Amino acid sequence: MSQHGTGQSTRGGGAVWALVITSVAGFMAALDNLVVTTALPSIREDLGGALHDLEWTVSAYTLTFAVLLMFGAALGDRFGRRRLFTIGLTVFTLASAAAAMAPGIDSLIAARAVQGVGAAIMMPLTLTLLTAAVPAERRGMAYGIWGAVNGLAVASGPLVGGTLTEHLSWQWIFWLNVPLGLALLPLARLRLAESHGTGAPLDLPGTLLASGGLFGIVYGLVRGPLDGWTGSVVLTALFAGAALLAGFVLYSTRARNPMLPMRLFRSRAFAGINAASLLMFLGMFGSIFLLSQYMQGVLGYSPTEAGLRMLPWTGMPMLVAPLAGFLSDRIGGRPVVAAGLFLQAAGLGYLAEVITADATYAAQLPGLIISGIGMALYFAPASALVMSSVVAKEQGIASGANNALREVGGALGIAVMSSIFAAQGGYESAQIFVDGLRPAVAVGAAVVALGGIAALLVPGGRTPSDPAGDDGKSLRGPATAPADTISAPAAAR
């Protein structure tokens, strides 16, 4: 289906503006995954609530974000990516203000859920809008910067949350989004070109099945460590979620215009990079969740001090990811992603060996640096592999699916590694905490290593940043698929 632009030029600074807008928006959405964790004691002191309520200030965002990502991408493909991006950004900004002004714990949880809705709409569209604005030969570097910013946001959430809470107040972890959102809204309208996907009707049955299935799985994983894995609610949620996802897969193989065509997973590139992404976030999220508590609860650092000491890990993407994007353009994404995952697995394995109740920072530093380099090498080439594994008209679908799997992987990582921690240790003393932490981080290392093996399934050779071949036909899609869906002015560089 031919797409028409808005008459807006994307020459010159258009690519730079697109990179800035999409990177900042992605940073906002990714940051809110873990930014609340170090603020929970202050939130409880101000608003009250039991441990169950505090848990939902984190999981309400994760749940709505994860289950609506693919639907958000589909809405953008159908009604215009820039249009839906601005709608999602508006919802996210308003919900952030509502969270900052929440008078009670229930209203805070509700605002966090709405935040997740806004993030689910805007996040998967950041990559498709960036792809439309940046020439194919420069996309590797653009993906590198975008990946660096998003990777930093995911990993530095506890640092940002702890610093704002310690020096200002917990409300500022939400107020931070408001000026950023207000600044981005006019820029998005003026500087981003409109683009569309296939224009196919929305797949409402598929959306309900996928959203319900993901909700059940994520809800069960979130509740498992609190209620016990054999509890009736947890088991019902997990089995119902699995059944709905199985129904979604079966439905999508037969539907005429499915939200997520199952044929995409026939591609080794698409299947491999999505499996690697899920496993990467499973190991990374779970490890950061526990290691940040270790630095505060066992080693006695304040939230800010703990975050600063994790900077060799969390800050490394800003230094290395642009180089990783450059390398992926030269030698292909597969070796860079696989090397990054194996390095992160090695770093986590090292930390699992050296962690003690009185470990020095110098002893931990090599593991943090190796993990940081590995994370940085993963982010940028992984984004390029996802976008180049499908034809241009399906990039919104691909981005939404990949981000959904990342979110599910993160929730799974926190749940699984917390369960391992609880089974082997606890909070009674520093040594008991370490007894649970070491096997949990070791499992995280093994899971990330499995992600490296999955990345090796991606076909070798240089992965193009442009999903269309030189003749304008898709490298992986049907021969009749359109080569590109960006607006005419964006294409005419």
Side-chain angles (χ1 to χ4, degrees), residues 251-392:
Y251 165 82
S252 297
T253 59
R254 301 177 179 180
R256 183 175 181 181
N257 294 300
M259 178 176 63
L260 178 60
M262 289 296 110
R263 58 178 172 75
L264 294 180
F265 289 96
R266 298 173 191 166
S267 163
R268 284 171 51 201
F270 186 82
I273 192 57
N274 277 287
S277 295
L278 186 146
L279 294 168
M280 155 68 177
F281 272 67
L282 195 158
M284 181 190 71
F285 258 67
S287 298
I288 289 176
F289 180 77
L290 291 174
L291 286 171
S292 63
Q293 296 182 62
Y294 164 73
M295 287 192 169
Q296 295 176 61
V298 175
L299 301 183
Y301 298 125
S302 72
T304 303
E305 291 171 338
L308 288 173
R309 282 164 174 78
M310 291 185 74
L311 277 179
W313 182 5
T314 61
M316 196 64 70
M318 291 299 294
L319 301 176
V320 180
L323 175 62
F326 174 81
L327 289 175
S328 70
D329 283 344
R330 293 294 181 266
I331 65 174
R334 180 180 72 165
V336 182
V337 168
L341 291 172
F342 288 132
L343 279 174
Q344 178 148 300
L348 290 175
Y350 174 89
L351 289 171
E353 286 295 319
V354 303
I355 286 171
T356 63
D358 57 354
T360 65
Y361 182 63
Q364 302 170 57
L365 189 57
L368 297 173
I369 293 174
I370 294 171
S371 294
I373 294 173
M375 179 192 295
L377 289 176
Y378 160 83
F379 273 113
S383 301
L385 286 172
V386 170
M387 301 304 282
S388 64
S389 67
V390 298
V391 295

Side-chain angles (χ1 to χ4, degrees), residues 429-479:
S429 70
Q431 186 57 52
I432 293 175
F433 189 99
V434 170
D435 290 341
L437 177 63
R438 295 183 68 175
V441 175
V443 170
V447 169
V448 175
L450 288 176
I453 296 173
L456 294 176
L457 298 176
V458 176
R462 191 179 74 84
T463 301
S465 297
D466 190 350
D470 294 336
D471 61 354
K473 293 185 173 61
S474 164
L475 292 174
R476 295 173 178 82

Side-chain angles (χ1 to χ4, degrees), residues 29-42:
L31 182 70
D32 273 55
N33 273 297
L34 293 176
V35 73
V36 177
T37 53
T38 47
L40 290 177
S42 297

Side-chain angles (χ1 to χ4, degrees), residues 51-65:
L51 179 62
H52 168 81
D53 298 313
L54 296 178
E55 173 72 11
W56 274 106
T57 64
V58 179
S59 57
Y61 180 83
T62 303
L63 279 171
T64 53
F65 193 6

